[in-house]
Amino acid sequence: MFGRLLKQLERRDRVSEEERLLVERLPVTRRSFQNGQELVQEGSRPGESCLVISGFTARAQLMRDGKRQFTAVHIPGDFVDLHALMLKIMDHSVVALGPCEAAFIPHASLIALIESAPHLGRLFWLSTVIDAAIQRSWITNLGRRSPSQHIAHLVCELYLRLEVVGLVEGPSFNFSATQTEVADMVGLSLVHVNRTIQELRAEQLLSWRNGTITINDFNRLVSYADFDATYLSLNKEPR
Amino acid sequence: MFGRLLKQLERRDRVSEEERLLVERLPVTRRSFQNGQELVQEGSRPGESCLVISGFTARAQLMRDGKRQFTAVHIPGDFVDLHALMLKIMDHSVVALGPCEAAFIPHASLIALIESAPHLGRLFWLSTVIDAAIQRSWITNLGRRSPSQHIAHLVCELYLRLEVVGLVEGPSFNFSATQTEVADMVGLSLVHVNRTIQELRAEQLLSWRNGTITINDFNRLVSYADFDATYLSLNKEPR
DNA sequence: CGGCAAATTGACACATCTCAAAGCCTGTGG
DNA sequence: CCACAGGCTTTGAGATGTGTCAATTTGCCG
């Protein structure tokens, strides 16, 4: 249940055996969701925080006129809703992109864990701070990268993040989002996203069919997208 | 020195006298910066975190081709660089928007403080999580709001944040950014920002001259921008 | 008064959106 | 095994939005 979360933590710092046990003993409720269902609702006051076990989820914000924007994508092992622990009232919802499973942990257990194991607490803090760093890179993508660079950048990000949790197979990985959903990630219209992906295919930068993305030459994609992995904090060191 | 930071914390939760003293006794180095100078550099490994005392700063990311995007604006009392405490390597720089002063605090002192006062530690965590919430709203601004709604939204945000730290006078506040800088906040060209601000003025939604913004009718601006203050976590409650 | 940074304007090229239709793929029922 | 429905992807065409370039105006400071 916590395997992929621990992989992510261990990628960034040493996790002691004792800390691992503390995490694994957290009381959890496991729930399954269908495409489009909300794991967490905008405006709600969650009493527990959720962790993605399988499948993809996204943070979503809705506007009065019905327009939607995703502000983050979350993958298995992401402790998505740790933010709620401090925020209390949700500023966004978390929705399933395709079928997914999540584990819910009561806030009280998390607070107790953090007070008894401060270093683990800092690793949870780190996780929310990495979310913030990813969001900053999305802002730069939206503001200053061309649509094709933007999508290329997103693909680089997903590739590296999925690699950490063991969900990349060679040059390929699974990513079930529809083009309508990608449009809500990159702030463009569906039609334009479609044309942009075709452009990337034509440039041989990637292939994207039936929910599978394949990257022929990762370095070329990185260079095309002006991608710099620093923001993912993939370095292991004392935190 | 810590007055405005404490105002921000007290707006979100009770801060005990003891906690207040712990904060005020933190060892600090105070430094002044000119317009455009970097308080923190992208790619660096800061050994201390900074707090804005006076003036405005922004988080900036640069692209190879020289394009710049601001991913956040910070005001007096913001503990801007708390992120560095967990990130270790900076994914962005922090630059001065006009003259400003900042206090720098060694990471070791912060870690010690957090371990001895976990509740204060959570309030610092909260501060980074609010930064993330603000960044999410910027993503939605960039992706799904029109330029005029975007700028109106930004103004609403600044108004409420500055009010918390006592920097609003009636319907007006000071905001020294140039239109070139605003362009890098909203991801548009300078020319387009200029025309958009003129549009807002023509609609009587705000006036913006010589670094002073005046809002005639805040509710109308809120409604125009589709602004919802939830993401600023302005509610006082146990965290 | 002269000089400089910031704000403003105009004209034109190009990017992106919207609307509407067609094509493609998959699962289901007959 | 085939026909069909529904969701997703792809295409075309015209309307708008936004960027760029280059010039002008404004406001402040020495």
Side-chain angles (χ1 to χ4, degrees):
Chain A
M1 178 109 64
F2 291 106
R4 293 201 161 111
L5 171 65
L6 288 164
K7 270 189 189 166
Q8 295 210 40
L9 300 182
E10 279 163 354
R11 177 64 182 259
R12 274 101 182 187
D13 193 0
R14 238 176 122 4
V15 176
S16 71
E17 194 51 39
E18 192 185 350
E19 287 172 329
R20 167 191 292 271
L21 282 174
L22 285 169
V23 170
E24 283 170 347
R25 284 182 194 142
L26 281 168
V28 308
T29 311
R30 194 171 176 145
R31 291 185 208 137
S32 297
F33 299 86
Q34 297 302 312
N35 188 10
Q37 280 191 305
E38 294 188 334
L39 322 218
V40 185
Q41 284 158 18
E42 184 165 348
S44 70
R45 273 186 177 270
E48 37 190 22
S49 286
C50 66
L51 167 70
V52 184
I53 295 175
S54 69
F56 293 92
T57 64
R59 296 183 199 275
Q61 292 188 327
L62 287 178
M63 296 185 40
R64 265 194 316 234
D65 62 7
K67 286 204 279 271
R68 177 176 68 167
Q69 176 72 40
F70 290 134
T71 61
V73 170
H74 286 281
I75 67 171
D78 279 349
F79 211 145
V80 193
D81 199 29
L82 225 33
H83 296 253
L85 192 56
M86 294 298 127
L87 248 27
K88 303 302 175 192
I89 302 178
M90 295 300 293
D91 63 308
H92 63 278
S93 59
V94 178
V95 306
L97 300 178
C100 82
E101 290 179 296
F104 288 74
I105 302 161
H107 285 173
S109 311
L110 288 170
I111 296 287
L113 175 61
I114 288 163
E115 298 221 352
S116 68
H119 175 246
L120 213 39
R122 290 203 299 278
L123 292 184
F124 288 167
W125 185 359
L126 170 65
S127 146
T128 62
V129 163
I130 291 175
D131 286 345
I134 293 174
Q135 288 170 181
R136 282 191 288 277
S137 89
W138 280 40
I139 290 175
T140 301
N141 280 343
L142 281 156
R144 295 299 184 210
R145 270 184 255 265
S146 69
S148 58
Q149 279 187 306
H150 187 163
I151 292 181
H153 199 281
L154 176 64
V155 170
C156 289
E157 175 185 316
L158 288 169
Y159 181 86
L160 290 182
R161 289 172 62 194
L162 288 166
E163 195 177 40
V164 171
V165 295
L167 288 173
V168 166
E169 289 164 27
S172 304
F173 61 90
N174 214 274
F175 186 58
S176 53
T178 64
Q179 293 186 0
T180 301
E181 288 162 340
V182 174
D184 285 337
M185 294 172 198
V186 299
L188 296 171
S189 67
L190 162 63
V191 172
H192 206 65
V193 163
N194 181 280
R195 289 178 173 137
T196 303
I197 291 176
Q198 287 180 54
E199 199 182 317
L200 291 170
R201 285 200 277 246
E203 297 279 349
Q204 313 269 317
L205 285 161
L206 49 81
S207 101
W208 187 337
R209 295 265 175 218
N210 304 321
T212 300
I213 298 178
T214 303
I215 303 172
N216 318 299
D217 181 344
F218 186 68
N219 290 332
R220 202 157 76 84
L221 190 62
V222 161
S223 151
Y224 181 84
D226 192 20
F227 180 86
D228 175 346
T230 307
Y231 74 104
L232 294 174
S233 290
L234 295 173
N235 45 321
K236 181 162 183 162
E237 52 184 294
R239 312 248 182 189
Chain B
M1 178 109 62
F2 291 105
R4 294 201 159 110
L5 171 65
L6 289 163
K7 271 187 188 166
Q8 296 211 37
L9 300 182
E10 280 163 354
R11 177 64 182 259
R12 275 106 183 182
D13 193 359
R14 238 177 118 17
V15 176
S16 71
E17 194 53 38
E18 192 185 351
E19 287 172 330
R20 168 191 289 271
L21 282 173
L22 284 170
V23 169
E24 284 171 347
R25 284 184 194 140
L26 281 167
V28 309
T29 311
R30 193 168 176 146
R31 291 187 207 134
S32 298
F33 298 87
Q34 297 303 312
N35 187 10
Q37 280 192 303
E38 293 188 332
L39 321 219
V40 186
Q41 285 157 19
E42 183 166 348
S44 70
R45 273 185 176 270
E48 37 190 23
S49 286
C50 65
L51 167 71
V52 184
I53 295 176
S54 70
F56 294 92
T57 64
R59 295 183 201 275
Q61 292 188 326
L62 287 178
M63 296 185 42
R64 264 193 316 232
D65 62 8
K67 286 204 278 271
R68 178 175 68 168
Q69 176 71 40
F70 290 134
T71 61
V73 170
H74 286 282
I75 68 171
D78 280 350
F79 212 146
V80 194
D81 199 29
L82 224 33
H83 296 253
L85 192 56
M86 293 299 126
L87 249 25
K88 302 304 177 190
I89 302 179
M90 297 300 294
D91 64 307
H92 62 278
S93 58
V94 177
V95 306
L97 299 177
C100 81
E101 288 180 295
F104 288 75
I105 302 160
H107 285 173
S109 311
L110 289 169
I111 296 286
L113 175 61
I114 288 163
E115 298 220 353
S116 68
H119 175 247
L120 213 38
R122 291 203 299 278
L123 292 184
F124 287 166
W125 185 359
L126 170 65
S127 146
T128 62
V129 163
I130 291 175
D131 286 344
I134 294 174
Q135 289 170 182
R136 282 191 288 276
S137 89
W138 280 41
I139 291 175
T140 300
N141 280 343
L142 281 156
R144 296 299 183 211
R145 270 185 255 264
S146 69
S148 58
Q149 279 187 305
H150 187 163
I151 292 180
H153 198 281
L154 176 64
V155 170
C156 290
E157 175 186 315
L158 287 169
Y159 181 86
L160 290 183
R161 289 171 63 193
L162 287 167
E163 195 177 40
V164 172
V165 294
L167 288 173
V168 166
E169 288 163 29
S172 305
F173 60 90
N174 212 277
F175 186 57
S176 54
T178 64
Q179 293 186 359
T180 301
E181 288 163 341
V182 174
D184 285 337
M185 294 172 196
V186 299
L188 296 170
S189 67
L190 162 63
V191 172
H192 206 66
V193 163
N194 181 281
R195 290 180 171 136
T196 304
I197 291 176
Q198 288 180 54
E199 199 182 317
L200 292 170
R201 284 199 279 244
E203 297 279 349
Q204 313 268 322
L205 286 161
L206 51 80
S207 101
W208 187 337
R209 295 267 176 214
N210 305 321
T212 299
I213 298 178
T214 303
I215 304 172
N216 318 299
D217 181 343
F218 187 68
N219 290 333
R220 203 157 76 83
L221 191 61
V222 161
S223 152
Y224 181 83
D226 192 20
F227 181 86
D228 175 347
T230 307
Y231 74 103
L232 293 174
S233 289
L234 295 173
N235 46 321
K236 182 162 183 164
E237 54 184 291
R239 312 252 181 187

